[in-house]
Amino acid sequence: MNKRNIPIELIIWVSGLLWLAFSHPEDTHFTVCPLALVGFEHCPGCGLGHSISYLLRGEWQLSWQSHPLGIFALVIILKRIFELGKNVFCSNVCSNKTEDFYPSKLLRK
């Protein structure tokens, strides 16, 4: 039996989306944006987390107002989660190699 190691990147992306799904985007929050911490009023990425959070709630208009690229970012993140999950959970099932399905002793004639 193969031991599956879940990559840390998968854990981070899933945790981040869960945090955005359960957070309240209308509340003020802590930021890790270096431009906002320095004092700039506008950052190209600011509002992206709020936009994704609104999208996960089904509030399309508020999402667009927070950041127009929120839906694009969510699609990219979901695609990455799918790729990482596929690599972890389908390593033998999704393979086209016959050796992955049958022991090598059964393939010998």
Side-chain angles (χ1 to χ4, degrees), residues 3-106:
K3 184 178 178 182
R4 295 183 180 140
N5 293 326
I6 299 175
I8 189 73
E9 183 183 357
L10 179 61
I11 294 169
I12 290 170
W13 285 124
V14 171
S15 300
L17 279 184
L18 286 173
W19 179 72
L20 287 173
F22 293 110
S23 68
H24 299 286
E26 59 276 350
D27 295 341
T28 58
H29 64 282
F30 171 75
T31 183
V32 293
C33 175
L35 294 176
L37 292 174
V38 172
F40 286 97
E41 290 184 19
H42 181 70
C43 169
C46 283
L48 202 53
H50 287 160
S51 180
I52 293 173
S53 186
Y54 283 127
L55 274 174
L56 294 173
R57 288 177 164 63
E59 298 177 14
W60 306 99
Q61 186 175 8
L62 289 173
S63 171
W64 182 264
Q65 290 172 356
S66 293
H67 201 292
L69 295 177
I71 192 163
F72 180 70
L74 181 61
V75 168
I76 296 296
I77 292 170
L78 290 174
K79 181 182 181 295
R80 185 63 183 152
I81 288 172
F82 177 75
E83 288 173 351
L84 291 168
K86 182 179 165 187
N87 289 340
V88 171
F89 298 109
C90 296
S91 60
N92 290 334
V93 177
C94 298
S95 175
N96 292 328
K97 296 179 183 177
T98 312
E99 302 87 37
D100 290 343
F101 294 107
Y102 302 107
S104 59
K105 294 178 184 178
L106 295 176

